[in-house]
Amino acid sequence: MQEIQERFVGLVREKIDNKNLKYNILTMGCQLNENDSEKISGMLEKMSFAETDNFEEADLIIFNTCCVRENAEEKLFGKIGEIKKLKEKKNVILAIGGCMMQEEIMLDKIKKSYPFVDIIFGTHTMQNLPENIYKAIIKQEKVRDILDIDGEIYEGIPIKRNSKFKASVTIMYGCNNFCSYCIVPYVRGRERSRSPKKILEEIKKLSADGYKEITLLGQNVNSYVGDEEIKNFADLLREVCKIDGIERVGFISPHPKDFTEDVIEEIKNNDKITRIIHLPIQSGNSKVLKEMNRKYTKEQYLELVEKMKKRIPNIVFSTDIIVGFPGETDEEFEDTLDVVRKVNFEQIFMFIYSKREGTVAEKREDQIPEEVKHTRFDKLKELYESRVDENNEKYIGTTQKRVLIEGESKNNQDTFSGRTNTNKVVIFEKTEKSKIGDVVDIKITEAHKWYLKGEII
Ligand code: 5AD
Ligand code: SF4
């Protein structure tokens, strides 16, 4: 953490210590945002704020916004309205940060229509939060702290993690790909990788604190650039897996165009790496993919999947799919369904295309009518769900290695709940030796729609 921010942490602490002030944080969006929120919480707790789930009893409310899809805007405006009412009843500071604040149009709208918002900060200025809180609380100023250049990487921001066993570690920021539908490169800036030394130090510390599972995060993890020794993503994966105590390692999201041989080899040789690979396809049609600027064809994607399935036993895939990209015909959408049948994805995150101002696709005149988009979405969902049972049944009789025990299952205190290294929920009887946080091997005995059952072996 920067020295100047440390000073502000101290100043705020001095003023509010013993006042028992509470904060509430609402995170919208992806795991990168979740990870940013953990850092926001870390900074706030250092300033002596305590977390509350109930925004009505909070003295400080933070919205960490996402701008990847359009509907998030409506949700944000609704939430701001709720806080406006709360502000009429009590003294509460409202801070809004995250990707949406890096969008000029949204920023202007918030400034004009919601002048009562106390602090606005962007993805590149999150680390200034102590100073901004100081100005808002102590000096009662309105703070607007946005930078539109690519932010530097700030190390050492305190972090309050949501789990005791699983941790996300951001390895790179930004994106250079400019997929034609996507706003991320405009709001998160160009790719910047963290130094391997800092990443490994953070993970070693996590391991010492009892963490067992690490997810490496970035908009495009496989374009990670390291240093002389740990040069690329494959090298980093290998080094992370060497850390004692870390039992499972995952990563999101890789880009299919950058999925190199050495990464495949690393996954194959290293069973700490999860056996589910999130490989966003977006569309199964080569013409649509070209217009999306994804830089691979349907065939290349399928070849990559086949190659990995051959080399790495039991590997499964999850993906992101956008339906209704401008100009997408019914036949082109059929190609997406075809890929879904062929790959048999374990999980699909399905999105209806939404126009993002400033992107290339937004300017196209051949936008798809809403009802067509919805029909395609339903068709995709139906196809995916029709295959869930069959996919789950394949697990019966198998031994799932490295299941992390995450807690007691909700409905039965005699059983634990965990996740396989393909991210399936599995429920199993407790044994004398097993405890939360352990990593165990489980023999699968039953398959249900949304979970498996098994026993520790
Ligand atoms: N409309 C719909 N979905 C989008 N995504 C990104 N931009 C858009 C958009 N404009 C989806 C992509 C990406 C995921 C994080 O969000 O599938 O992989
Ligand atoms: Fe957006 Fe494409 Fe970058 Fe992913 S790779 S963040 S979809 S531009």
Side-chain angles (χ1 to χ4, degrees), residues 180-225:
S180 64
Y181 50 83
C182 184
I183 197 151
V184 166
Y186 303 91
V187 297
R188 290 250 175 198
R190 295 296 66 73
E191 288 172 4
R192 282 106 56 210
S193 295
R194 279 179 75 195
S195 96
K197 193 167 157 261
K198 296 280 181 199
I199 296 170
L200 295 172
E201 262 170 25
E202 181 176 346
I203 300 175
K204 279 180 192 152
K205 168 102 190 7
L206 285 165
S207 166
D209 289 344
Y211 283 83
K212 298 280 166 58
E213 178 169 333
I214 298 294
T215 305
L216 304 174
L217 293 182
Q219 301 294 349
N220 191 0
V221 283
N222 45 359
S223 31
Y224 176 78
V225 181

Side-chain angles (χ1 to χ4, degrees), residues 175 177-179 181-182 184-185 219 255 294:
C175 178
N177 289 322
F178 290 92
C179 299
Y181 50 83
C182 184
V184 166
Q219 301 294 349
H255 193 302
R294 292 290 293 174

Side-chain angles (χ1 to χ4, degrees), residues 68-69 181-182 280 282 320-322 351-354 356:
V68 173
R69 285 170 297 275
Y181 50 83
C182 184
Q282 314 298 0
D320 291 347
I321 293 177
I322 299 177
F351 305 107
I352 290 178
Y353 168 77
S354 75
R356 302 287 56 211

